[in-house]
Amino acid sequence: MIYKHGALFHCRYKPDVINGDMDSIRKEVLDFYRSLGTKIIDKSHDQDTTDLHKCITYIWDFAPDANKSTLCILVAGALGGRYDHEMGNLNVLYCFSSLRIVLLSDDSLIYLLPRTHHHEIHIQTCVEGPHCGLIPIGAPSRSSTTTGLRWNLNNTEMRFGGLISSSNIVVGEKVTVQSDTDLLWTISIKKL
C-alpha cells in the first residue's frame, strides 16, 4: 500500500503496461502508475483502432512464439457501459479471430467461434450458465448445428432480422457448435 496525497493506494494490481490513446485516463492516474514503473505506451496518434485493439496487438507482438498457439486473453470490464465501446470490443474479436479472446462482465462472457472449427464448449456449471446464446453478428449463417442446448439448432439459418439463438439454455456440461459463419458465443456467469 502507498500513501499519496492524503489517500491510500493499493499496488496489488499494478499493470506492467498502459497502452492506448490516453483520452480517458486522468493525468494524475497516469503519473501515479508511471512512478511505480509501469510502462506507458501513448498511441494517441492512432485514432483508427480502439484501445483494446492496441492492447491485443501489443500482447501478440510480445508473446513468445511457443505460447501463441495456446494464448488466451481475458478482457475484464469489456461489457457494460457505453454501447459503442461494447461494439468496438466485439469488433476486436473479429479482427483477431485466430486468437482466443474472452470478453467478461459481471453477468456474462462472450467469445468468437470461428467458422473454421467444430467447437466443443465445456461448461463449468458451478460458475457459468444456464442462459446462453449464439449470435451471427458478422454475417448471416445459412447453417448452424448444436448439441447440448435446450433448443438445439439443426442446420438452422440465423440472421439479424430473423432467428438468432438468444435466451437458450445449456442442458449439460458440453455444448457443440458447427456453423458456416463466425458466431459469438455468450453464456451467463453465476453470482457467487
Side-chain angles (χ1 to χ4, degrees):
M1 221 181 272
I2 294 176
Y3 187 75
K4 185 172 180 175
H5 303 296
L8 291 176
F9 292 91
H10 292 272
C11 296
R12 188 166 69 172
Y13 300 112
K14 181 188 90 61
D16 295 322
V17 176
I18 296 175
N19 183 352
D21 62 16
M22 307 299 152
D23 66 344
S24 58
I25 190 168
R26 295 188 320 269
K27 183 183 180 327
E28 64 269 15
V29 173
L30 196 61
D31 291 343
F32 170 73
Y33 284 113
R34 184 179 283 121
S35 74
L36 294 179
T38 296
K39 180 178 180 178
I40 309 298
I41 302 173
D42 185 341
K43 295 282 191 171
S44 56
H45 63 279
D46 176 5
Q47 293 297 310
D48 293 334
T49 60
T50 65
D51 287 345
L52 179 58
H53 191 285
K54 292 171 180 69
C55 290
I56 300 297
T57 300
Y58 177 85
I59 292 167
W60 180 255
D61 288 347
F62 288 94
D65 287 339
N67 295 344
K68 285 185 176 176
S69 65
T70 59
L71 185 62
C72 180
I73 300 170
L74 178 63
V75 184
L79 306 167
R82 281 182 37 197
Y83 184 69
D84 60 326
H85 284 179
E86 288 182 350
M87 292 304 293
N89 291 342
L90 293 175
N91 186 56
V92 167
L93 298 180
Y94 285 86
C95 291
F96 295 92
S97 62
S98 64
L99 272 175
R100 174 73 179 237
I101 303 170
V102 180
L103 305 181
L104 182 65
S105 76
D106 291 338
D107 303 314
S108 62
L109 63 82
I110 296 175
Y111 56 88
L112 186 69
L113 301 177
R115 68 181 173 273
T116 55
H117 296 79
H118 174 82
H119 300 276
E120 281 192 11
I121 303 166
H122 297 276
I123 308 301
Q124 297 177 6
T125 57
C126 61
V127 293
E128 58 184 346
H131 299 94
C132 66
L134 288 162
I135 314 295
I137 199 168
S141 169
R142 291 181 311 279
S143 176
S144 293
T145 299
T146 63
T147 63
L149 302 176
R150 180 174 290 163
W151 298 284
N152 280 312
L153 305 172
N154 186 9
N155 294 315
T156 304
E157 179 181 333
M158 293 193 299
R159 62 180 173 79
F160 275 90
L163 174 75
I164 61 172
S165 180
S166 64
S167 300
N168 212 326
I169 303 287
V170 172
V171 294
E173 294 186 357
K174 184 172 89 171
V175 172
T176 65
V177 180
Q178 182 70 48
S179 183
D180 65 341
T181 192
D182 298 341
L183 298 174
L184 290 177
W185 167 257
T186 181
I187 190 165
S188 58
I189 296 174
K190 295 178 179 177
K191 302 290 185 195
L192 299 178

